[in-house]
Amino acid sequence: MKLPPFQTLVEEHRVDLYRFCVVTAGRGDADDVFQESWVAALRAYPKLRRADNLRAWLFRIAQNKAIDLHRSRSRRAVPVEQLPEPAAPERERLDGETELWAGVRELPAKQRAAVFCRAVLGMPYAELGELLECSEEAARRNAFEGLKKLREEWTA
C-alpha cells in the first residue's frame, strides 16, 4: 500500500477538518483539537494499514479528540467566587456564535458529526458510516435524528 505524502493529506483536508473541529469543540477549543488531531494523525500515519478513506480516518481522529476534550472538562473543577446568573436565551451569543451551532454542539457525538458532515461538507453516507464506525443506514439515522432534534428546538 502506497500512502500519499503527509503534507498532501494536510493540504487536501485541513479546511474541512478545522471547520469540523469548530463545530464539535467550539471556537475557543477548535485550534487545540485541530492541532492535536494532526499530531495524532502524523504519529499514526506510518503504521496505517488501510488508505482507502483517509478523510474519514482524519475526521475520526478529530472526533475522538473533541470527545476527549469534553470528557476532560467534566472532570475538571472550575473555581469561581460567585455563581453566574443563568443567561437569557438569545439567538446570537456574545462571542458571535449562533444558537444553532451551540445546539449542534449539544447533540450526542455521532449525531453532531453526522449533521455537520452531511449539511456542511456534503459527505456521502457511506463515508459518514466509516467515520462513525457504523453502517450506512445507522449514519443516515444519526443525521436524521440530529436534524430532528434541532428542528424541535427551533420550532418550539
Side-chain angles (χ1 to χ4, degrees):
M1 173 184 66
K2 179 109 168 109
L3 293 172
F6 190 75
Q7 184 61 36
T8 304
L9 188 68
V10 171
E11 290 168 2
E12 288 178 8
H13 302 292
R14 69 180 170 80
V15 173
D16 288 342
L17 192 70
Y18 183 76
R19 292 169 68 194
F20 181 75
C21 291
V22 169
V23 168
T24 57
R27 282 194 197 282
D29 295 312
D31 291 339
D32 292 338
V33 171
F34 180 72
Q35 184 176 7
E36 289 176 22
S37 299
W38 285 113
V39 169
L42 181 60
R43 286 184 181 143
Y45 198 65
K47 301 172 198 160
L48 195 61
R49 292 187 191 141
R50 292 178 50 206
D52 53 339
N53 195 344
L54 294 174
R55 179 178 168 180
W57 175 73
L58 285 171
F59 277 73
R60 183 69 187 164
I61 291 171
Q63 182 178 21
N64 288 340
K65 293 298 178 184
I67 290 169
D68 290 346
L69 173 76
H70 290 298
R71 285 180 183 157
S72 71
R73 275 211 183 114
S74 67
R75 292 182 293 233
R76 215 176 341 169
V78 180
V80 295
E81 288 184 28
Q82 281 185 317
L83 292 176
E85 291 187 29
E90 300 173 6
R91 286 286 183 207
E92 184 76 23
R93 297 201 175 180
L94 294 176
D95 62 358
E97 176 182 49
T98 63
E99 188 177 341
L100 174 62
W101 288 115
V104 170
R105 205 168 358 277
E106 292 172 7
L107 292 172
K110 283 189 176 186
Q111 290 178 9
R112 181 174 54 236
V115 167
F116 175 79
C117 290
R118 282 294 300 162
V120 177
L121 301 178
M123 186 181 283
Y125 286 113
E127 187 176 353
L128 184 57
E130 285 184 46
L131 165 66
L132 299 177
E133 295 179 337
C134 63
S135 67
E136 185 175 338
E137 292 78 24
R140 284 180 192 276
R141 188 68 184 181
N142 277 302
F144 172 79
E145 291 296 329
L147 290 172
K148 181 179 166 186
K149 283 182 184 177
L150 289 173
R151 273 190 216 103
E152 288 170 359
E153 280 184 29
W154 279 78
T155 58

